[in-house]
Amino acid sequence: MQAVPPFPSRRSASSATESTQDSALTELRALHALAETINRSNSLESVYPEVLQALTWVCAADRAVVLLFDAQNAMRFAASDGLSDRYRAAVEGHSPWAANEEYAQPILVTEPEREPSLAPLLPHLRQEGIASLAFIPIAHQGRLLGKFMLYFDTPHEMTAEEIRLALTVAEYLALAVSRQHALEETRQINADLEGCVQRRTRQLEEANREMESFCYSVSHDLRAPLRALDGFSRILLDEAGQILDEADKSNLRRIIAASERMGGLMDDLLKLSRI
């Protein structure tokens, strides 16, 4: 996996000597490197650090986290940078959007104390030293998968360019998450198919055992009395033929012929069972 080149510090991004063109070029390189990392990665865990690093650079954020919906549609931390366990426990599960909301839009909170919905969280924000924050939706094909949280240590109003870049990073991660879900579904389907094949194999083996038992019965158990009928009929015909009338001899010959036909039918049954 190709590592993302080190991102310039925020100080260098704000340096008066750096031109707008150079900054845009650096951002493009960072996003391209992030896309390469996502394409080469086999797990989300290896992508998260690069995503957080990209976010803090392109959005001039001090800290960033990734939260994704779990199976119960609750927001859970997937990756975080620079947050205390106390704060994580306090805010985990919070989401400004419903789990089934389509085309969620970014929510920017420049002054948290002016946002009524964040009133219960204000003590935690102050303890964590968070002055401004932003909710960036992570969505794929209109389906909300999770969110980015961007934190600023000083009051910060995100620019339109920063929001656009944050949404771009969100699109990259959404594709990676969707791909991971598809891989997990494929693995589950393969596991189900393998289980089905194993069950069918056991059924086939059982059917084969039953067929082998049938073939053994045809070859041995049924042929034994048939051989007796044929053998004793021939002995009777040979040894007592001079004292038997033609009707008795005809009956014996019919028994022998029927035994031969029965033997032929058994042979055909064995051939059919092998087919």
Side-chain angles (χ1 to χ4, degrees), residues 163-236:
I163 296 172
R164 184 187 67 80
L165 290 171
L167 289 173
T168 299
V169 176
E171 289 177 3
Y172 287 175
L173 182 58
L175 288 173
V177 172
S178 298
R179 183 179 65 181
Q180 184 70 20
H181 289 171
L183 288 174
E184 292 173 355
E185 290 176 1
T186 300
R187 293 191 188 101
Q188 185 60 48
I189 290 173
N190 289 337
D192 293 341
L193 286 175
E194 184 177 353
C196 181
V197 169
Q198 291 176 352
R199 289 193 297 272
R200 293 300 176 87
T201 300
R202 288 193 295 268
Q203 293 172 357
L204 180 59
E205 290 173 348
E206 180 63 26
N208 286 337
R209 284 192 293 269
E210 293 176 357
M211 186 59 69
E212 290 172 359
S213 177
F214 167 75
C215 292
Y216 180 87
S217 178
V218 171
S219 299
H220 299 83
D221 299 344
L222 297 182
R223 285 190 185 275
L226 192 62
R227 285 195 296 269
L229 284 172
D230 181 81
F232 286 116
S233 296
R234 291 180 185 277
I235 292 173
L236 185 59

